[in-house]
Structures are given as structure tokens and as C-alpha cells.
Amino acid sequence: MKSNRPMKSSNLLLSAVIVACTCLAWILLGTAISKRTFVSTAEMQREVAGVWGPALVQSHPDAFYFTPNAPAGRAAVLPSSTKVAVRLDSQPKRRGLLWHRTYEVDFSADYAFTNPTRIPQTLYLRFPLPADSAGLHGFVFQAGDETASATAAEDGIVTRAVVVPAGETVPLKVAYRTRGTDSWNYRFPDARRITGFDLRMRVNFADIDFPFGTGSPDERAQDDAGWNLAWVYPDVLSAPAIGMDMPKLLNAGPVAQRIVNFAPVSLLFFVTVLLIVAALKGIPLHPMHVFFVSAGFFSFHLLFAYLVDLMPPFASFGVATVVSLLLVAGYLRAVGGKLLFGVAVPAQVVYLALFSLSFFFDGLTGITLAVVSVLTLALLMILTARIDWREVFGGAGKAA
């Protein structure tokens, strides 16, 4: 039903109060989601770390021999050549609202240590084990042709003494399998000279990313199953560390919280367009209409926040969107007929569905908000360019 009655300022004020109250409800919902996510994160991270271990760091081995000509009576020796093969298999595990970036690593390395002196020396080969690992399966530590067991000290370094003739080289083979979370790193001693180093890495995922402070690979090749990567340091001083971050995963809890935090922006755009179109077409809207529209918007965020516990994020998003669209668009069709229905459907799809969907993709939210804001402003300026606002607001300010 259309009406020529002017828009009341009191109705606008009450509508603004209703929107503000809905914003308060969103704040409470966002706080609840944040608490659930924080509790879930703290508990599940301890559980996952206990089973899968932490982010693993493998340090470069070294050796030393005793001599009175070196500081503290020890001369350090680094491998003269290194060939490392690493396979990283990402196996993410979901606990609560969060996905944890867990993986398995298969490590194998062949090192060569050279006696730099003119006399035979007893080299003490030292291989640091990854700290707090979830157990090293199939561990191999073999110096030369000897297979006697090595000694693991309390500091997590496996040590083996080998007599090496003058100028000769002793090989060291190390291998193990273990598990970790988030990232894997291989590090070198600070400001030391690394020679003859070659590390080949195989990963079973396409989204590769290197941790801060690590070097990029010298070779890379992608196939359908992942990447083959290589770092080659023939003779490098202060060689950068090598590392790989596990792929980032979509975590429903943080996404739901960000969507709820920006929900007032969506509702503000929608209500503004709705009220102006209704005023232009002479359709009377009462603050109670705004109340039910706001409640329909809120239903989307409420459903999505709790459906993600039971369903995948995109499925939860789809169900919540359809329910909210049916509530709001169906209600406005009953209030203002096909005209308001034709406005409500595209407006809700843009301001609620598409805007919220941008939070699933890093870097898209800001540009989406900017584009939607500018297009909305342009649309409203076009629609209202020839409107006599004094008439719309009841003739206020007319000359007596």
C-alpha cells in the first residue's frame, strides 16, 4: 500500500535506535564466538602439540677435535659436503572450530666431514635432534662403515667419536621420520661458511610459503601432486635458513567473528537504501518494520556462528544466507509488495551475502567494502538528485 504521508523524523530516530540495539546484539555474539574460539584454541593446541609435536627445527650438524691451538682447546669443523632429502606431507587435523596445520616429515641426509689437519684426528661428530619432537621413527645415525650405537646427550645432540686419517673424509648418514605442526625449518650456524650443500624438498601441496628469515629455493618444479624444491649452496657465508610453512586453512571461528564484527556496516547500507526507496515510492515504513528486518539480518550471523560446529564453513554460510534471505525478503514483500521485494533481494545479496563472503578470502574485504560504499553512494545520489527533502520530511522549513 502506497501513501503520500511524509517521513517522520521520530521514525528515523527510532529506526536508528533499533539498528544500534542490533549492533549491541552483534557485539555480544562476537564476544561469545571469540570466547569459544579462544577456549577451543588453547585446549586443542595443547592436545595437538602433545600428539604431533611443535614446529620442527633441524639444525646443521658439526664436529670438533681437541687441539691446544684453538679457543677453549676445541677446533670446530662443518661438513665439507651435504646432501639432504626432505619430504613434507601436509595432514591437517580439525579440532573444535580450528584446523591445525599438522604434517609428517621424512628426513634423510648424507654428510661428509674432512680432517683439515696433517695428522690423524679424533673427530666428534654432533647431530642436533629436533627439540620436543613427537618421537623419531626409524632413526639412523651411521658414521663411516660402523653401525655401533651413538650417544644422545641431555641437550638433544647425538655425538659419535671417529678417528679420521690426515686429510681424509668420514661420511655420516642420518635419517628419521617424525611429525610436527605449522612449519619445518633447517638452520645453519650464524656467520659460518657453508660449502657443498644441497637440499631437495618434496611437498604434497600447491600453496607453498616460506617462513620469515628463510631463503627462496634455487630450483622449483610443480606437478599435479605438489612441488619439488631445491636449495643449493656451493660456497656461501652466512647462509640463510631453509623452511616451509604448511598451507593456510580456513578456520571457521575467526571468520565468523570477523563477519559479525562488520555486520553493522551491512545492515546500515541495507536499511539506508530501504528507507530511501520506500520514501521515494510513498511506502510507509514503521520502526517495527526496521526491527524485524534487523532481526532477519541478525539471524544470518546467529545461524552461521553455530552451524560451523556441525557443517563445513561454506555449507553453513549457504544455509544461513538462504534462511536470512527468506525471512527479510519475504517479510518486505508482505509489507511493500513486489517493489520492496525487488529491492530487498539484490540489496541483501550484495550487502549481506557477498560482503560477508569476502571474509573467506584474505585481502578482499577492504576493497569489497570500498567498492560497495562508492556504488551505494552513487546509486543514492542518482535516485535522490531531484527530491525535495523538505516535502519528504513533512514540509519542514517551508516559508509561512
Side-chain angles (χ1 to χ4, degrees):
M1 180 181 295
K2 295 186 178 181
S3 172
N4 292 324
R5 289 181 296 174
M7 182 184 297
K8 294 183 179 180
S9 299
S10 59
N11 284 354
L12 285 178
L13 180 60
L14 288 174
S15 298
V17 171
I18 290 171
V19 171
C21 291
T22 309
C23 293
L24 178 60
W26 273 315
I27 292 174
L28 296 176
L29 179 60
T31 302
I33 296 173
S34 176
K35 185 175 180 179
R36 288 169 59 225
T37 303
F38 176 79
V39 172
S40 174
T41 301
E43 293 178 352
M44 297 306 172
Q45 279 184 341
R46 289 192 295 268
E47 177 184 331
V48 171
V51 176
W52 286 81
L56 296 179
V57 177
Q58 177 60 66
S59 297
H60 198 52
D62 63 0
F64 68 89
Y65 60 90
F66 292 106
T67 173
N69 299 323
R74 289 186 177 187
V77 179
L78 290 178
S80 55
S81 70
T82 300
K83 292 189 180 298
V84 179
V86 180
R87 180 178 179 87
L88 298 175
D89 289 331
S90 175
Q91 299 181 6
K93 303 297 179 184
R94 185 180 180 185
R95 295 291 186 273
L97 294 176
L98 299 177
W99 282 95
H100 298 269
R101 301 184 298 165
T102 52
Y103 64 89
E104 290 189 352
V105 54
D106 193 339
F107 179 89
S108 177
D110 291 294
Y111 303 98
F113 289 88
T114 301
N115 178 1
T117 68
R118 299 180 180 179
I119 60 174
Q121 294 286 355
T122 300
L123 293 184
Y124 293 84
L125 311 182
R126 294 158 30 99
F127 183 81
L129 302 178
D132 302 321
S133 66
L136 302 180
H137 302 275
F139 181 71
V140 175
F141 184 90
Q142 182 178 351
D145 297 329
E146 301 180 11
T147 58
S149 61
T151 302
E154 294 182 357
D155 58 1
I157 299 178
V158 179
T159 305
R160 181 70 191 280
V162 180
V163 177
V164 184
E168 296 294 320
T169 297
V170 58
L172 173 64
K173 181 175 180 60
V174 181
Y176 61 79
R177 300 186 311 278
T178 189
R179 300 183 294 188
T181 56
D182 296 334
S183 65
W184 183 87
N185 285 268
Y186 190 99
R187 294 181 181 173
F188 303 97
D190 292 338
R192 300 286 293 275
R193 187 176 184 178
I194 304 300
T195 60
F197 182 87
D198 187 308
L199 186 148
R200 305 282 165 165
M201 180 184 293
R202 172 67 183 177
V203 300
N204 69 336
F205 46 87
D207 185 16
I208 58 174
D209 191 20
F210 309 109
F212 177 78
T214 62
S216 297
D218 298 290
E219 302 173 16
R220 62 178 75 188
Q222 187 179 17
D223 54 37
D224 294 338
W227 286 87
N228 291 305
L229 308 167
W231 287 260
V232 181
Y233 300 156
D235 190 355
V236 178
L237 189 64
S238 299
I242 296 169
M244 177 64 65
D245 279 332
M246 294 301 106
K248 293 182 179 180
L249 302 169
L250 180 65
N251 284 312
V255 171
Q257 185 177 357
R258 292 197 298 270
I259 291 176
V260 168
N261 290 342
F262 280 85
V265 177
S266 299
L267 181 60
L268 181 61
F269 281 142
F270 185 84
V271 170
T272 300
V273 171
L274 182 66
L275 290 177
I276 290 180
V277 171
L280 294 177
K281 300 301 180 180
I283 301 175
L285 288 182
H286 191 271
M288 286 304 299
H289 295 139
V290 176
F291 170 80
F292 286 114
V293 167
S294 300
F297 259 66
F298 183 78
S299 68
F300 165 82
H301 303 88
L302 185 64
L303 279 174
F304 179 67
Y306 289 96
L307 280 177
V308 290
D309 287 341
L310 308 173
M311 301 170 59
F314 284 104
S316 302
F317 184 90
V319 171
T321 300
V322 171
V323 171
S324 179
L325 191 63
L326 290 174
L327 287 174
V328 174
Y331 176 70
L332 289 176
R333 179 180 175 85
V335 171
K338 293 183 179 180
L339 178 61
L340 282 190
F341 179 79
V343 173
V345 171
Q348 192 172 4
V349 168
V350 172
Y351 296 132
L352 180 65
L354 294 183
F355 180 62
S356 299
L357 189 62
S358 69
F359 287 90
F360 285 83
F361 307 97
D362 290 339
L364 288 184
T365 304
I367 187 63
T368 302
L369 177 59
V371 171
V372 169
S373 300
V374 172
L375 292 180
T376 301
L377 176 61
L379 175 64
L380 295 179
M381 291 174 70
I382 293 172
L383 292 177
T384 62
R386 296 181 177 275
I387 298 300
D388 186 346
W389 290 105
R390 292 173 298 179
E391 180 180 345
V392 171
F393 286 101
K398 284 185 178 181

